[in-house]
Amino acid sequence: MNVGGKHFRTIWLRPDDKRVVQLIDQRFLPHEFVIEEVRSVEQMTMAIREMHVRGAGLIGASAGYGMYLAATEAASRDSFDEHLAWAADQLRATRPTAVNLSWAIERQLQNIAAGKTADEKVALALRTANSIADEDAEHCRMIGHHGLKLIRKIAQRKAGRPVNVLTHCNAGWLAFVDYGSATAPIYAAQDSELPLHVWVTETRPRNQGAKLTAWELGEHGVAHTVIADSAAGYLMQRGKVDLAIVGSDRTTYTGDVANKIGTYLEALAAKANNVPFYVALPSSSIDWRMREGLKEIPIEERDAEEIKWADGWFDGKQVAVRIAPDESPAANYGFDVTPRALVTGLITERGVCEPNEKSICSLFPEHAK
Ligand code: MRU
């Protein structure tokens, strides 16, 4: 998507040196636009763990490029396979909930294994990393195409009044390689000149909504309002939300959805108020092995300090302030699981389906059991 009129993806190879990965360091947005250069798999591991990059699709693409960097490192070592396996373990351990991480690592391991020489393996790793990134962008573009039809239908009913979409956290282009999942239909609607307004939940504790989604929408000229997370139910009760579109970090093949903490409460409020609740996701976020989301999806617990502190921009620099008493314990659950019964539909790159095994597998028959 465009930043200041120039097209950017979230991750790419440095044009004059293909051994360097460049990425947007999201810790500084919306205040500063910083590009980080990543030259080793260790650096990429840290970028994922410390959330310089985040969001399911981008975590997958970063892991893909991390494995490519690992392959280039392995090429100058005695044991190629040992280094690659070590790198895969390091990357796998960074963040547990988004399934795109292990999906990208497994895809790299499988493809690299087909190479006979170190040079061949590096070339395969590069091709795979690029394919993961390109597919991610294309799948999100298609999600926009399919999701636009849903927004268009509501717009017809509203006869010129703006369609109010609620979204949570950042399932925007910053969470992917381009377009985003939840935001792709929004951008497509904006480009089609449909009247539109987006409620952006701030998304405590890391405020990806207030910081990232608000910035993205602003850059694209989409009308939006940032709200406290706890305001979502109030707005739905008052008829101020026409539909919710959120992202997903892992969706079971039966339709249970893990997404940023707070999504479940929004889905409950949506159900109680007859607000359609859609989840937009590329198939790389579907876990084809997991049946019961509540029991099986690993939920990341992050440092409690993220709850007790907030950071922001003051006097030209990023500062952190403590909110809670220093001595109060805090708990920081990163994600929750929304059971399929609360989800209206899934917007995927192949179309919209119901959140159940039969409907999901009708779009992805290659995964039918
Ligand atoms: O912790 P994050 O920022 O990596 O969480 C990811 C998210 O922003 C959301 O859960 C999002 O809705 C799904 S990822 C496309």
Side-chain angles (χ1 to χ4, degrees):
M1 300 292 289
N2 285 357
V3 181
K6 187 172 170 217
H7 180 256
F8 277 92
R9 280 183 166 191
T10 48
I11 191 165
W12 63 92
L13 289 176
R14 204 167 99 174
D16 60 345
D17 186 352
K18 298 269 180 277
R19 287 161 308 174
V20 181
V21 179
Q22 295 185 307
L23 48 88
I24 299 171
D25 187 339
Q26 301 187 19
R27 292 171 302 165
F28 302 103
L29 287 172
H31 316 295
E32 288 177 300
F33 188 74
V34 175
I35 292 173
E36 181 180 3
E37 299 211 322
V38 174
R39 294 161 192 273
S40 68
V41 68
E42 265 178 313
Q43 225 184 319
M44 187 63 90
T45 302
M46 185 190 316
I48 299 172
R49 187 186 304 114
E50 306 296 327
M51 295 176 68
H52 308 190
V53 286
R54 29 69 50 204
L58 181 54
I59 289 174
S62 303
Y65 281 114
M67 289 297 286
Y68 158 63
L69 292 173
T72 61
E73 292 164 9
S76 58
R77 291 173 191 235
D78 289 342
S79 171
F80 190 102
D81 292 346
E82 219 170 85
H83 185 69
L84 208 66
W86 171 83
D89 286 346
Q90 298 297 305
L91 286 165
R92 237 185 246 117
T94 50
R95 299 198 64 196
T97 302
V99 71
N100 302 62
L101 179 68
S102 54
W103 168 84
I105 295 168
E106 294 319 314
R107 182 162 159 180
Q108 277 286 27
L109 287 173
Q110 228 173 49
N111 288 357
I112 294 170
K116 289 191 182 61
T117 63
D119 282 352
E120 258 179 51
K121 286 175 191 281
V122 172
L124 283 166
L126 175 57
R127 199 176 316 150
T128 306
N130 284 335
S131 304
I132 290 170
D134 291 346
E135 272 170 32
D136 184 83
E138 176 55 16
H139 288 177
C140 284
R141 193 184 68 78
M142 287 309 294
I143 287 170
H145 170 77
H146 297 300
L148 171 61
K149 295 177 210 156
L150 299 171
I151 298 180
R152 202 185 283 287
K153 228 187 215 164
I154 297 173
Q156 276 160 4
R157 209 178 62 218
K158 295 208 70 175
R161 284 173 298 126
V163 176
N164 284 300
V165 183
L166 181 128
T167 192
H168 187 58
C169 197
N170 174 260
W173 73 274
L174 291 168
F176 290 86
V177 173
D178 211 345
Y179 302 100
S181 61
T183 53
I186 292 168
Y187 292 136
Q190 172 83 357
D191 294 346
S192 305
E193 295 180 5
L194 294 181
L196 191 73
H197 168 262
V198 182
W199 297 110
V200 178
T201 54
E202 60 176 347
T203 320
R204 282 280 295 147
R206 290 187 65 105
N207 294 311
Q208 291 97 325
K211 288 179 174 179
L212 306 176
T213 306
W215 179 75
E216 272 194 26
L217 295 177
E219 286 289 316
H220 202 82
V222 179
H224 63 279
T225 306
V226 180
I227 52 167
D229 298 324
S230 40
Y234 167 85
L235 291 170
M236 291 188 201
Q237 267 182 335
R238 296 285 188 285
K240 291 181 185 297
V241 180
D242 295 302
L243 86 160
I245 310 180
V246 301
S248 167
D249 295 85
R250 186 185 302 236
T251 293
T252 62
Y253 67 87
T254 55
D256 295 333
V257 176
N259 193 49
K260 184 53 61 189
I261 194 80
T263 305
Y264 170 54
L265 279 176
E266 288 164 8
L268 282 171
K271 187 73 163 183
N273 292 286
N274 291 319
V275 173
F277 192 88
Y278 283 94
V279 180
L281 71 158
S283 55
S284 53
S285 300
I286 299 177
D287 190 323
W288 300 103
R289 283 177 292 217
M290 281 192 185
R291 162 169 279 279
E292 293 302 330
L294 267 173
K295 286 195 200 134
E296 296 176 86
I297 299 178
I299 299 297
E300 178 177 13
E301 288 184 38
R302 296 184 61 86
D303 192 336
E305 294 300 294
E306 286 184 355
I307 300 286
K308 291 165 67 171
W309 289 73
D311 65 63
W313 196 247
F314 180 72
D315 227 5
K317 60 178 186 297
Q318 191 135 319
V319 292
V321 291
R322 185 160 51 75
I323 303 165
D326 204 14
E327 57 282 3
S328 290
N332 188 2
Y333 306 103
F335 300 88
D336 56 28
V337 175
T338 299
R340 49 192 170 264
L342 298 177
V343 176
T344 308
L346 305 176
I347 312 171
T348 77
E349 72 270 19
R350 293 201 192 159
V352 180
C353 65
E354 290 169 22
N356 60 57
E357 181 177 354
K358 189 165 168 239
S359 187
I360 294 171
C361 289
S362 72
L363 287 184
F364 298 93
E366 66 274 32
H367 291 287
K369 310 258 173 248

